[in-house]
Amino acid sequence: MPTAPLPASPRDLHGASPAAGPAPSAAPLATLRGLTVDFDIGERYVRALHGVDLTIARGETLGVVGESGCGKSITWLAALGLLGPGARVGGSAVFDGQELIGMRPRGLDRLRGGRIALIFQDPASALNPVQRIGRQIGESLALHRGLRGRAARDEARRLLDRVGIANAAQRLDEYPHELSGGMNQRVMIAMALAGEPDLLIADEPTTALDATIQAQILDLLRDLQAESGMALALISHDLGVIADMADRVAVMYSGRVIEEAPAGRLFAAPAHPYARGLLAALPDIEGPKRRLETIPGSVPPPHALPPGCAFAARCPHVDGVCETAPPPLRPVPGAPARRAACARLEALVRPPEPAPVLQRQEQRA
Amino acid sequence: MVSYALSRIGRAAITLLLIVTAAFVILRLTGDPAIIILGPDAPPAAYEAFRRNWGLDEPILVQYLAYFGAVAEGDLGRSMRDGRDAIEVVGERIPLTLALTLPALAFNLALGLGAGVAAALNRNSWIDRAIMAVSVMGFTVPSFVMGLTLSLIFAVKLRWLPAGGAESWEHAILPVVTMGLIGAAIIARFTRSAMLEVLGQPYIRTASAKGVPWRRVILGHALPNAAIPTLTIIGFMVGSLVAGAVVVESIFSWPGVGRLLVSAVANRDLAVVQTILLLIGFTMVLANLAVDLAYGWIDPRLRAGRAAPAK
Ligand SMILES: Nc1ncnc2c1ncn2[C@@H]1O[C@H](COP(=O)(O)OP(=O)(O)OP(=O)(O)O)[C@@H](O)[C@H]1O
Ligand code: SF4
Ligand SMILES: [Mg+2]
């Protein structure tokens, strides 16, 4: 019998990280472990998410970046059971001590829109076109706070006020098509706030909006977070948005997290070749915002992944060792708070040099 | 909403005007009633007397204006067969036709909407496949084939039901089932695709994401939106309440408006044919108007004068 060395389990990696403290109050709010998603494509299943490990602490902002199709959205939809019957979800997603994967619908319905809220990319189509705004917010208030009638209406008006909608009382009786995209996103945020969430998952909340509105919505999210202490999982294509908002960043590629680090450190010195490529394409954080399409080549589709590192075909550092098995996410040598999934980390990461890091951070400040 | 409703009503009025005109034009273009009624060998004086009697000797424009004035007054002329008022001749057949088409419509809607929603909610399962297989059959088999087949099985072979006539309610079963199955097949297909389209919309995911239980997502969010495209086909079915039974009435010798139409056309009984055409046109226009008003009631985007959502 060949005795292959066992891969380090996610728990070991996690235990090695200083972020996981022993006190219960320091336990993360949400923990994804080995989360997988397989889609039923007729005759067989195709794996679109290959074991995602992520944590979010209370009040923290986790930025999630990556090219289109890398699994940013389905990670959170899977955790909340929102992918529908065509998807098979494996692994674990624990929210405040409760396992979400396999949870009964009743329990999930209580959490969704309550302690965990979601907002989506295209606010105009994310609201029901045939229901008035007030009724849609009222539905959340009834489900999660037991408010009805007058009380629900007053609270809905207060929420619209809070998210910066003028004429809140009048807007309650309007339909989504009567509001602009930015307004509709504010309505979505108000609806999310209706359940007083501990975690808000914002899936590209500003991608469909123009630049000024985008900045306003991000400011609003920051204010609300400061006010309520909710944690924020912010999904975005836009590195500028992530740099602006996130405490910690997870970079995804082809259904995996390939690097995870505190935002400042990631932007100063990315470890994974893909993250380096992304940041190299970003000239200056304060400069014009760029999309992630700038690395040559394209993401392999989920049904045609190579046996080894999914980035190999585009990676300037590719080597024989990369092509045997997908490299696991592991601590970056010399920087235990950071993790990256690259077989050649040791060769690529030089011992930490604090000076340039400080310089870049000063530039940002 | 008021201007939306007014524009729809105006459009319906114009359509009615066109129908009245078309009924006139088509019938005058398709042959000389004098020859058909009196036969080709009648003496010329008889033809002339007949034409004078029915106003067929006037210039066509005069005939048209006279006809128009009469229609506006509710006078649709007399049957050339027995001289009775055409409205009376047609009117006495309407209840018989409705006795078939109303139950068939109820059957349609109950079975079609239910099956369509069930198929969509169980997409790609055996339930969906079975419903769609039956639906495709109902869709593609012409109604006379369906009617004759049912008649062959249940009337001729099994002798459970009468094959034709209108003596008892049992005589209505086969024609109602024939029309009901075909209508249900059509409605089921429309409902299924409308429902699937809606279930894929982001606002359905939003409803789930805000903790609405799945049953209520379907009832409260999906169905009202899926109703919008489904209304079109339902309106079409309501519009065919009078005209929809021509084939089936003929197969099952049911003395309704449809059969009257067939015989009146064969006999060139102008006034009766015209009356039936107008009746059919009016029902369709009114059903359409009702659908349009219902759209405005369900879909706030239409009320605001925006384009209809892609179906
Ligand atoms: N219902 C589905 N059936 C099959 N495959 C799916 C389904 N939903 C998503 N996928 C696949 O899963 C992968 C990840 O999708 P996901 O929506 O999470 O990407 P994303 O990172 O959010 O991209 P974007 O930036 O475009 O939103 C994609 O390759 C996509 O094709
Ligand atoms: S494992 Fe190899 S191919 Fe993949 S990112 Fe690292 S160096 Fe590049
Ligand atoms: Mg996405």
mmCIF file of all heavy atoms in Angstrom, chain A residues 212-250:
data_model
loop_
_atom_site.group_PDB
_atom_site.id
_atom_site.type_symbol
_atom_site.label_atom_id
_atom_site.label_comp_id
_atom_site.label_asym_id
_atom_site.label_seq_id
_atom_site.Cartn_x
_atom_site.Cartn_y
_atom_site.Cartn_z
ATOM 1 N N THR A 212 -21.212 57.979 -9.043
ATOM 2 C CA THR A 212 -21.598 58.780 -7.875
ATOM 3 C C THR A 212 -22.531 58.013 -6.959
ATOM 4 O O THR A 212 -22.357 58.013 -5.738
ATOM 5 C CB THR A 212 -22.361 60.058 -8.295
ATOM 6 O OG1 THR A 212 -22.709 59.955 -9.657
ATOM 7 C CG2 THR A 212 -21.582 61.290 -7.999
ATOM 8 N N ILE A 213 -23.518 57.356 -7.571
ATOM 9 C CA ILE A 213 -24.479 56.581 -6.779
ATOM 10 C C ILE A 213 -23.742 55.464 -6.058
ATOM 11 O O ILE A 213 -23.983 55.173 -4.880
ATOM 12 C CB ILE A 213 -25.572 55.981 -7.688
ATOM 13 C CG1 ILE A 213 -26.179 57.035 -8.600
ATOM 14 C CG2 ILE A 213 -26.637 55.300 -6.855
ATOM 15 C CD1 ILE A 213 -26.950 58.086 -7.890
ATOM 16 N N GLN A 214 -22.806 54.835 -6.776
ATOM 17 C CA GLN A 214 -22.012 53.765 -6.180
ATOM 18 C C GLN A 214 -21.342 54.239 -4.894
ATOM 19 O O GLN A 214 -21.439 53.586 -3.851
ATOM 20 C CB GLN A 214 -20.974 53.317 -7.208
ATOM 21 C CG GLN A 214 -19.883 52.449 -6.636
ATOM 22 C CD GLN A 214 -19.094 51.761 -7.738
ATOM 23 O OE1 GLN A 214 -19.610 51.463 -8.809
ATOM 24 N NE2 GLN A 214 -17.832 51.513 -7.477
ATOM 25 N N ALA A 215 -20.710 55.399 -4.953
ATOM 26 C CA ALA A 215 -20.025 55.921 -3.765
ATOM 27 C C ALA A 215 -21.021 56.182 -2.643
ATOM 28 O O ALA A 215 -20.748 55.880 -1.471
ATOM 29 C CB ALA A 215 -19.271 57.204 -4.128
ATOM 30 N N GLN A 216 -22.198 56.703 -2.992
ATOM 31 C CA GLN A 216 -23.213 56.983 -1.961
ATOM 32 C C GLN A 216 -23.673 55.703 -1.273
ATOM 33 O O GLN A 216 -23.823 55.652 -0.055
ATOM 34 C CB GLN A 216 -24.428 57.667 -2.581
ATOM 35 C CG GLN A 216 -24.164 59.093 -3.028
ATOM 36 C CD GLN A 216 -25.350 59.647 -3.813
ATOM 37 O OE1 GLN A 216 -26.401 59.020 -3.895
ATOM 38 N NE2 GLN A 216 -25.173 60.822 -4.394
ATOM 39 N N ILE A 217 -23.893 54.667 -2.085
ATOM 40 C CA ILE A 217 -24.372 53.405 -1.509
ATOM 41 C C ILE A 217 -23.301 52.806 -0.599
ATOM 42 O O ILE A 217 -23.588 52.319 0.502
ATOM 43 C CB ILE A 217 -24.758 52.409 -2.632
ATOM 44 C CG1 ILE A 217 -25.919 52.962 -3.463
ATOM 45 C CG2 ILE A 217 -25.082 51.038 -2.071
ATOM 46 C CD1 ILE A 217 -27.268 52.875 -2.816
ATOM 47 N N LEU A 218 -22.038 52.859 -1.025
ATOM 48 C CA LEU A 218 -20.964 52.320 -0.191
ATOM 49 C C LEU A 218 -20.852 53.100 1.116
ATOM 50 O O LEU A 218 -20.678 52.520 2.190
ATOM 51 C CB LEU A 218 -19.631 52.346 -0.953
ATOM 52 C CG LEU A 218 -19.565 51.394 -2.160
ATOM 53 C CD1 LEU A 218 -18.246 51.554 -2.889
ATOM 54 C CD2 LEU A 218 -19.771 49.945 -1.733
ATOM 55 N N ASP A 219 -20.971 54.416 1.031
ATOM 56 C CA ASP A 219 -20.950 55.230 2.253
ATOM 57 C C ASP A 219 -22.075 54.831 3.188
ATOM 58 O O ASP A 219 -21.884 54.712 4.403
ATOM 59 C CB ASP A 219 -21.107 56.721 1.899
ATOM 60 C CG ASP A 219 -19.786 57.308 1.422
ATOM 61 O OD1 ASP A 219 -18.740 56.672 1.666
ATOM 62 O OD2 ASP A 219 -19.811 58.395 0.804
ATOM 63 N N LEU A 220 -23.256 54.624 2.591
ATOM 64 C CA LEU A 220 -24.404 54.231 3.397
ATOM 65 C C LEU A 220 -24.125 52.911 4.111
ATOM 66 O O LEU A 220 -24.370 52.774 5.319
ATOM 67 C CB LEU A 220 -25.639 54.104 2.496
ATOM 68 C CG LEU A 220 -26.889 53.522 3.162
ATOM 69 C CD1 LEU A 220 -27.381 54.441 4.271
ATOM 70 C CD2 LEU A 220 -27.993 53.295 2.131
ATOM 71 N N LEU A 221 -23.585 51.936 3.364
ATOM 72 C CA LEU A 221 -23.298 50.638 3.979
ATOM 73 C C LEU A 221 -22.312 50.805 5.129
ATOM 74 O O LEU A 221 -22.467 50.213 6.199
ATOM 75 C CB LEU A 221 -22.727 49.669 2.935
ATOM 76 C CG LEU A 221 -23.738 49.136 1.915
ATOM 77 C CD1 LEU A 221 -23.043 48.278 0.869
ATOM 78 C CD2 LEU A 221 -24.825 48.335 2.619
ATOM 79 N N ARG A 222 -21.293 51.647 4.920
ATOM 80 C CA ARG A 222 -20.292 51.866 5.968
ATOM 81 C C ARG A 222 -20.933 52.483 7.205
ATOM 82 O O ARG A 222 -20.684 52.055 8.325
ATOM 83 C CB ARG A 222 -19.187 52.773 5.427
ATOM 84 C CG ARG A 222 -17.806 52.336 5.842
ATOM 85 C CD ARG A 222 -16.754 53.360 5.469
ATOM 86 N NE ARG A 222 -17.045 54.073 4.238
ATOM 87 C CZ ARG A 222 -16.335 53.917 3.104
ATOM 88 N NH1 ARG A 222 -15.321 53.085 3.071
ATOM 89 N NH2 ARG A 222 -16.634 54.615 2.035
ATOM 90 N N ASP A 223 -21.785 53.477 6.999
ATOM 91 C CA ASP A 223 -22.474 54.125 8.122
ATOM 92 C C ASP A 223 -23.330 53.134 8.893
ATOM 93 O O ASP A 223 -23.314 53.092 10.123
ATOM 94 C CB ASP A 223 -23.410 55.234 7.617
ATOM 95 C CG ASP A 223 -22.636 56.450 7.171
ATOM 96 O OD1 ASP A 223 -21.399 56.461 7.379
ATOM 97 O OD2 ASP A 223 -23.268 57.373 6.614
ATOM 98 N N LEU A 224 -24.114 52.357 8.149
ATOM 99 C CA LEU A 224 -25.024 51.406 8.784
ATOM 100 C C LEU A 224 -24.245 50.394 9.596
ATOM 101 O O LEU A 224 -24.634 50.005 10.697
ATOM 102 C CB LEU A 224 -25.860 50.678 7.726
ATOM 103 C CG LEU A 224 -26.862 51.553 6.982
ATOM 104 C CD1 LEU A 224 -27.459 50.799 5.809
ATOM 105 C CD2 LEU A 224 -27.959 52.024 7.934
ATOM 106 N N GLN A 225 -23.089 49.998 9.030
ATOM 107 C CA GLN A 225 -22.265 49.023 9.718
ATOM 108 C C GLN A 225 -21.722 49.608 11.021
ATOM 109 O O GLN A 225 -21.742 48.954 12.057
ATOM 110 C CB GLN A 225 -21.123 48.638 8.788
ATOM 111 C CG GLN A 225 -20.577 47.283 9.043
ATOM 112 C CD GLN A 225 -19.438 46.990 8.113
ATOM 113 O OE1 GLN A 225 -19.075 47.829 7.278
ATOM 114 N NE2 GLN A 225 -18.870 45.824 8.246
ATOM 115 N N ALA A 226 -21.273 50.861 10.961
ATOM 116 C CA ALA A 226 -20.739 51.508 12.159
ATOM 117 C C ALA A 226 -21.834 51.631 13.218
ATOM 118 O O ALA A 226 -21.590 51.487 14.413
ATOM 119 C CB ALA A 226 -20.191 52.889 11.795
ATOM 120 N N GLU A 227 -23.043 51.896 12.749
ATOM 121 C CA GLU A 227 -24.164 52.126 13.649
ATOM 122 C C GLU A 227 -24.642 50.840 14.310
ATOM 123 O O GLU A 227 -24.927 50.792 15.497
ATOM 124 C CB GLU A 227 -25.277 52.713 12.783
ATOM 125 C CG GLU A 227 -26.429 53.309 13.490
ATOM 126 C CD GLU A 227 -27.368 53.896 12.423
ATOM 127 O OE1 GLU A 227 -27.000 54.909 11.804
ATOM 128 O OE2 GLU A 227 -28.433 53.308 12.196
ATOM 129 N N SER A 228 -24.719 49.753 13.510
ATOM 130 C CA SER A 228 -25.347 48.538 14.033
ATOM 131 C C SER A 228 -24.343 47.461 14.387
ATOM 132 O O SER A 228 -24.696 46.487 15.036
ATOM 133 C CB SER A 228 -26.322 47.983 12.999
ATOM 134 O OG SER A 228 -25.586 47.527 11.880
ATOM 135 N N GLY A 229 -23.097 47.605 13.953
ATOM 136 C CA GLY A 229 -22.098 46.582 14.243
ATOM 137 C C GLY A 229 -22.287 45.301 13.457
ATOM 138 O O GLY A 229 -21.757 44.256 13.821
ATOM 139 N N MET A 230 -23.053 45.365 12.354
ATOM 140 C CA MET A 230 -23.223 44.133 11.573
ATOM 141 C C MET A 230 -21.955 43.848 10.777
ATOM 142 O O MET A 230 -21.193 44.744 10.442
ATOM 143 C CB MET A 230 -24.430 44.254 10.636
ATOM 144 C CG MET A 230 -24.246 45.258 9.509
ATOM 145 S SD MET A 230 -25.744 45.394 8.523
ATOM 146 C CE MET A 230 -25.246 46.686 7.369
ATOM 147 N N ALA A 231 -21.762 42.554 10.506
ATOM 148 C CA ALA A 231 -20.659 42.164 9.638
ATOM 149 C C ALA A 231 -21.117 42.279 8.199
ATOM 150 O O ALA A 231 -22.314 42.223 7.912
ATOM 151 C CB ALA A 231 -20.234 40.735 9.952
ATOM 152 N N LEU A 232 -20.143 42.466 7.294
ATOM 153 C CA LEU A 232 -20.487 42.665 5.889
ATOM 154 C C LEU A 232 -19.623 41.750 5.031
ATOM 155 O O LEU A 232 -18.397 41.746 5.164
ATOM 156 C CB LEU A 232 -20.241 44.131 5.521
ATOM 157 C CG LEU A 232 -20.483 44.576 4.084
ATOM 158 C CD1 LEU A 232 -21.946 44.438 3.712
ATOM 159 C CD2 LEU A 232 -20.018 46.016 3.887
ATOM 160 N N ALA A 233 -20.279 40.949 4.195
ATOM 161 C CA ALA A 233 -19.541 40.213 3.171
ATOM 162 C C ALA A 233 -19.799 40.945 1.874
ATOM 163 O O ALA A 233 -20.913 40.952 1.368
ATOM 164 C CB ALA A 233 -20.029 38.770 3.086
ATOM 165 N N LEU A 234 -18.771 41.586 1.363
ATOM 166 C CA LEU A 234 -18.937 42.442 0.195
ATOM 167 C C LEU A 234 -18.293 41.777 -1.015
ATOM 168 O O LEU A 234 -17.076 41.619 -1.072
ATOM 169 C CB LEU A 234 -18.295 43.804 0.461
ATOM 170 C CG LEU A 234 -18.375 44.801 -0.682
ATOM 171 C CD1 LEU A 234 -19.813 45.197 -0.962
ATOM 172 C CD2 LEU A 234 -17.539 46.034 -0.365
ATOM 173 N N ILE A 235 -19.147 41.384 -1.951
ATOM 174 C CA ILE A 235 -18.657 40.739 -3.167
ATOM 175 C C ILE A 235 -18.516 41.791 -4.242
ATOM 176 O O ILE A 235 -19.419 42.602 -4.431
ATOM 177 C CB ILE A 235 -19.656 39.660 -3.625
ATOM 178 C CG1 ILE A 235 -19.822 38.611 -2.536
ATOM 179 C CG2 ILE A 235 -19.207 39.045 -4.937
ATOM 180 C CD1 ILE A 235 -20.940 37.634 -2.826
ATOM 181 N N SER A 236 -17.381 41.785 -4.930
ATOM 182 C CA SER A 236 -17.217 42.790 -5.979
ATOM 183 C C SER A 236 -16.186 42.366 -7.005
ATOM 184 O O SER A 236 -15.237 41.648 -6.710
ATOM 185 C CB SER A 236 -16.804 44.128 -5.364
ATOM 186 O OG SER A 236 -16.694 45.095 -6.371
ATOM 187 N N HIS A 237 -16.390 42.804 -8.251
ATOM 188 C CA HIS A 237 -15.363 42.710 -9.274
ATOM 189 C C HIS A 237 -14.316 43.782 -9.072
ATOM 190 O O HIS A 237 -13.253 43.733 -9.653
ATOM 191 C CB HIS A 237 -15.924 43.089 -10.659
ATOM 192 C CG HIS A 237 -16.821 42.113 -11.289
ATOM 193 N ND1 HIS A 237 -16.381 40.914 -11.747
ATOM 194 C CD2 HIS A 237 -18.134 42.166 -11.566
ATOM 195 C CE1 HIS A 237 -17.394 40.268 -12.301
ATOM 196 N NE2 HIS A 237 -18.475 41.012 -12.200
ATOM 197 N N ASP A 238 -14.729 44.816 -8.339
ATOM 198 C CA ASP A 238 -14.010 46.074 -8.407
ATOM 199 C C ASP A 238 -13.034 46.178 -7.245
ATOM 200 O O ASP A 238 -13.417 46.352 -6.090
ATOM 201 C CB ASP A 238 -15.035 47.207 -8.355
ATOM 202 C CG ASP A 238 -14.409 48.553 -8.630
ATOM 203 O OD1 ASP A 238 -13.216 48.727 -8.320
ATOM 204 O OD2 ASP A 238 -15.120 49.424 -9.141
ATOM 205 N N LEU A 239 -11.726 46.067 -7.562
ATOM 206 C CA LEU A 239 -10.721 46.099 -6.503
ATOM 207 C C LEU A 239 -10.731 47.423 -5.765
ATOM 208 O O LEU A 239 -10.412 47.484 -4.586
ATOM 209 C CB LEU A 239 -9.337 45.866 -7.110
ATOM 210 C CG LEU A 239 -9.016 44.406 -7.377
ATOM 211 C CD1 LEU A 239 -7.734 44.300 -8.168
ATOM 212 C CD2 LEU A 239 -8.906 43.660 -6.061
ATOM 213 N N GLY A 240 -11.100 48.491 -6.461
ATOM 214 C CA GLY A 240 -11.147 49.788 -5.807
ATOM 215 C C GLY A 240 -12.170 49.776 -4.677
ATOM 216 O O GLY A 240 -11.907 50.255 -3.570
ATOM 217 N N VAL A 241 -13.344 49.198 -4.940
ATOM 218 C CA VAL A 241 -14.388 49.100 -3.930
ATOM 219 C C VAL A 241 -13.896 48.276 -2.747
ATOM 220 O O VAL A 241 -14.064 48.643 -1.576
ATOM 221 C CB VAL A 241 -15.660 48.461 -4.542
ATOM 222 C CG1 VAL A 241 -16.648 48.076 -3.460
ATOM 223 C CG2 VAL A 241 -16.290 49.409 -5.560
ATOM 224 N N ILE A 242 -13.251 47.155 -3.063
ATOM 225 C CA ILE A 242 -12.768 46.266 -2.005
ATOM 226 C C ILE A 242 -11.720 46.983 -1.154
ATOM 227 O O ILE A 242 -11.752 46.958 0.084
ATOM 228 C CB ILE A 242 -12.171 44.986 -2.629
ATOM 229 C CG1 ILE A 242 -13.256 44.213 -3.369
ATOM 230 C CG2 ILE A 242 -11.493 44.127 -1.585
ATOM 231 C CD1 ILE A 242 -14.307 43.620 -2.487
ATOM 232 N N ALA A 243 -10.778 47.663 -1.820
ATOM 233 C CA ALA A 243 -9.721 48.369 -1.088
ATOM 234 C C ALA A 243 -10.323 49.422 -0.170
ATOM 235 O O ALA A 243 -9.843 49.661 0.935
ATOM 236 C CB ALA A 243 -8.757 49.018 -2.081
ATOM 237 N N ASP A 244 -11.397 50.031 -0.649
ATOM 238 C CA ASP A 244 -12.096 51.067 0.086
ATOM 239 C C ASP A 244 -12.767 50.567 1.353
ATOM 240 O O ASP A 244 -12.830 51.253 2.359
ATOM 241 C CB ASP A 244 -13.221 51.573 -0.836
ATOM 242 C CG ASP A 244 -13.188 53.055 -0.964
ATOM 243 O OD1 ASP A 244 -12.117 53.613 -0.722
ATOM 244 O OD2 ASP A 244 -14.239 53.617 -1.310
ATOM 245 N N MET A 245 -13.337 49.374 1.270
ATOM 246 C CA MET A 245 -14.284 48.931 2.284
ATOM 247 C C MET A 245 -13.773 47.805 3.181
ATOM 248 O O MET A 245 -14.165 47.722 4.343
ATOM 249 C CB MET A 245 -15.569 48.411 1.599
ATOM 250 C CG MET A 245 -16.295 49.392 0.724
ATOM 251 S SD MET A 245 -17.314 50.539 1.675
ATOM 252 C CE MET A 245 -18.571 49.433 2.332
ATOM 253 N N ALA A 246 -12.957 46.884 2.634
ATOM 254 C CA ALA A 246 -12.759 45.606 3.317
ATOM 255 C C ALA A 246 -11.688 45.661 4.400
ATOM 256 O O ALA A 246 -10.685 46.359 4.267
ATOM 257 C CB ALA A 246 -12.411 44.529 2.299
ATOM 258 N N ASP A 247 -11.923 44.899 5.497
ATOM 259 C CA ASP A 247 -10.883 44.662 6.491
ATOM 260 C C ASP A 247 -10.003 43.513 6.026
ATOM 261 O O ASP A 247 -8.792 43.532 6.171
ATOM 262 C CB ASP A 247 -11.501 44.265 7.838
ATOM 263 C CG ASP A 247 -12.462 45.318 8.340
ATOM 264 O OD1 ASP A 247 -12.140 46.515 8.212
ATOM 265 O OD2 ASP A 247 -13.546 44.945 8.843
ATOM 266 N N ARG A 248 -10.664 42.508 5.509
ATOM 267 C CA ARG A 248 -9.962 41.313 5.062
ATOM 268 C C ARG A 248 -10.482 40.984 3.676
ATOM 269 O O ARG A 248 -11.632 41.292 3.345
ATOM 270 C CB ARG A 248 -10.255 40.150 6.013
ATOM 271 C CG ARG A 248 -9.123 39.186 6.235
ATOM 272 C CD ARG A 248 -9.208 38.590 7.656
ATOM 273 N NE ARG A 248 -10.587 38.238 7.961
ATOM 274 C CZ ARG A 248 -11.169 37.111 7.538
ATOM 275 N NH1 ARG A 248 -10.502 36.234 6.822
ATOM 276 N NH2 ARG A 248 -12.432 36.850 7.835
ATOM 277 N N VAL A 249 -9.634 40.344 2.854
ATOM 278 C CA VAL A 249 -10.031 40.067 1.477
ATOM 279 C C VAL A 249 -9.804 38.598 1.157
ATOM 280 O O VAL A 249 -8.774 38.029 1.530
ATOM 281 C CB VAL A 249 -9.209 40.924 0.484
ATOM 282 C CG1 VAL A 249 -9.624 40.621 -0.953
ATOM 283 C CG2 VAL A 249 -9.382 42.403 0.783
ATOM 284 N N ALA A 250 -10.770 37.997 0.503
ATOM 285 C CA ALA A 250 -10.586 36.659 -0.049
ATOM 286 C C ALA A 250 -10.612 36.786 -1.561
ATOM 287 O O ALA A 250 -11.521 37.388 -2.119
ATOM 288 C CB ALA A 250 -11.696 35.733 0.424
#
